[in-house]
Amino acid sequence: MKLPDDFHWVLAQPSDDWVGARLELHGCPLIQVQPCRSGWLVNILLADPDNPQANVAVRSVAAGMRWSARWARDRVGRLRVLVAEQPIVLPPDLQGGRPLLGQVRTPVTFHG
């Protein structure tokens, strides 16, 4: 299922400390497909307080990616709002040695 261009999949590489696939929106992780026992689990990473979603068991990474794409496609507008409201988290080397308190993302307007 085709998603808008601002959504993209990140596949785990052998050097990564995680396995599976992750769907991101503007660099913000939304969903991760990860191993669970003898199958795979679709783990919702971006919580929507207005519409909580349980994790879903699937047979494979590909099945998890298909389920995730349908889920995200049905919520494109809401996911964009939730991502725009996320606080900015800068790595320590960009913080000038001190934590940044109250730093929030600039509101983003999406069209379409």
Side-chain angles (χ1 to χ4, degrees), residues 8-87:
H8 71 276
W9 283 101
V10 177
L11 301 177
Q13 301 300 310
S15 61
D16 290 335
D17 61 351
W18 61 283
V19 177
R22 184 172 54 230
L23 181 61
E24 296 183 351
L25 173 60
H26 297 292
C28 181
L30 303 175
I31 298 175
Q32 185 165 324
V33 182
Q34 59 194 39
C36 181
R37 298 188 182 144
S38 61
W40 294 85
L41 184 69
V42 177
N43 185 15
I44 309 298
L45 303 174
L46 183 64
D48 182 352
D50 295 338
N51 189 14
Q53 172 71 49
N55 296 333
V56 176
V58 293
R59 296 178 193 227
S60 66
V61 173
M65 291 173 73
R66 285 190 303 271
W67 186 94
S68 299
R70 283 191 304 272
W71 180 88
R73 182 81 174 165
D74 291 343
R75 295 161 178 80
V76 168
R78 180 66 179 151
L79 292 171
R80 286 176 174 157
V81 168
L82 289 170
V83 167
E85 293 174 349
Q86 294 296 304

